[in-house]
Amino acid sequence: MSIFRRRSGAPSDSSPRTTRAESRAELVTLLTRPGCHLCDDARAVVARVAGELGVRWEEVDITSDPKLEAEYGEQIPVTFVDGRQHDFWRVDERRFRAALG
């Protein structure tokens, strides 16, 4: 089981509703591996946008964790926003910025 949550469908009726102002992201996680040129591109976008919006971000090298490598090795780079998978392979800046609130 991954420590990250994959995207899911619409929230259930019992899910708390939040407004745009309440839903600002708190943490972005970028899964990468050494020598990955797509990871370099993603890192640049994540660092710039997260920095502009004041959102914390971290980078995790999947080669340091066999479970992460097995689960995400073919998808890297993979971005997570507050533990939920947002994107893989490329980071679309406009979509990423919108996800961060």
Side-chain angles (χ1 to χ4, degrees):
M1 174 119 192
S2 174
I3 59 172
F4 302 105
R5 296 184 305 262
R6 292 194 180 273
R7 277 188 243 176
S8 62
S12 68
D13 289 336
S14 62
S15 297
R17 305 290 183 208
T18 58
T19 65
R20 181 90 168 142
E22 295 171 331
S23 65
R24 180 167 291 299
E26 293 184 17
L27 178 65
V28 173
T29 303
L30 175 63
L31 301 185
T32 63
R33 78 162 32 119
C36 167
H37 72 280
L38 292 177
C39 298
D40 296 338
D41 295 344
R43 183 183 305 107
V45 173
V46 168
R48 182 177 61 253
V49 174
E52 288 173 7
L53 298 177
V55 176
R56 290 182 312 121
W57 73 280
E58 64 183 3
E59 184 171 348
V60 176
D61 175 358
I62 65 168
T63 64
S64 66
D65 184 326
K67 289 180 183 178
L68 288 177
E69 190 161 21
E71 187 166 352
Y72 299 106
E74 298 297 320
Q75 297 178 354
I76 62 157
V78 182
T79 52
F80 290 82
V81 176
D82 291 335
R84 295 185 68 133
Q85 186 174 347
H86 172 71
D87 247 334
F88 61 95
W89 292 336
R90 301 214 183 260
V91 178
D92 178 274
E93 184 170 340
R94 186 178 308 162
R95 201 168 98 70
F96 181 61
R97 188 177 294 275
L100 297 186

